[in-house]
Amino acid sequence: QVQLVESGGGLVQAGGSLRLSCGASGSGFGIRTMGWYRQAPGKQRDRVAVISNDGSTNYEDSVKARFTISRDNAKNTVYLQMNNLKPEDTGVYYCKALVDVDFRTYQYWGQGTQVTVSS
């Protein structure tokens, strides 16, 4: 079993910064892609940024040049540095990982961390 634990959310004023972290724990697994998704109140969960195990990244258009996703493979941890935050970035941020266990691929989600950006 793999568990993802997020941290780093909070309340920040517009223009501020936050750094989210998500660590994977467990044993006998290999992580493929890790990513961050957010869900605003009353809206669906949307992808924000993803990073593959070779370091290639992909960002949702509205966060390009403001957010940076990175990962530490030795620590099984993914980060999301969020700069110049805007009120529309408010939501619950979820970490997702695609994980190989015993030659099968599984999808895991973290519990979510709240990010609130005030205007």
Side-chain angles (χ1 to χ4, degrees):
Q1 184 74 358
V2 176
Q3 289 187 322
L4 302 178
V5 179
E6 300 124 332
S7 62
L11 172 64
V12 64
Q13 289 187 329
S17 298
L18 286 173
R19 187 186 192 218
L20 307 182
S21 300
C22 171
S25 63
S27 62
F29 65 92
I31 300 177
R32 293 192 178 197
T33 300
M34 301 187 81
W36 289 96
Y37 293 69
R38 71 183 172 200
Q39 188 165 18
K43 296 188 177 181
Q44 66 181 21
R45 190 176 300 183
D46 292 325
R47 187 176 69 181
V48 174
V50 295
I51 184 167
S52 64
N53 55 7
D54 67 0
S56 59
T57 59
N58 188 273
Y59 296 91
E60 192 268 326
D61 285 346
S62 70
V63 307
K64 287 180 180 177
R66 298 189 298 122
F67 291 10
T68 302
I69 189 170
S70 60
R71 64 190 282 175
D72 184 333
N73 290 332
K75 296 181 179 179
N76 291 324
T77 299
V78 64
Y79 306 95
L80 186 68
Q81 177 66 43
M82 305 185 293
N83 298 328
N84 190 21
L85 282 160
K86 302 177 180 181
E88 52 264 41
D89 295 319
T90 293
V92 179
Y93 283 68
Y94 296 91
C95 171
K96 188 179 90 169
L98 292 179
V99 177
D100 291 328
V101 180
D102 294 335
F103 305 106
R104 298 183 66 178
T105 301
Y106 299 86
Q107 176 178 281
Y108 291 93
W109 289 92
Q111 81 284 357
T113 185
Q114 177 71 44
V115 171
T116 303
V117 185
S118 63
S119 56

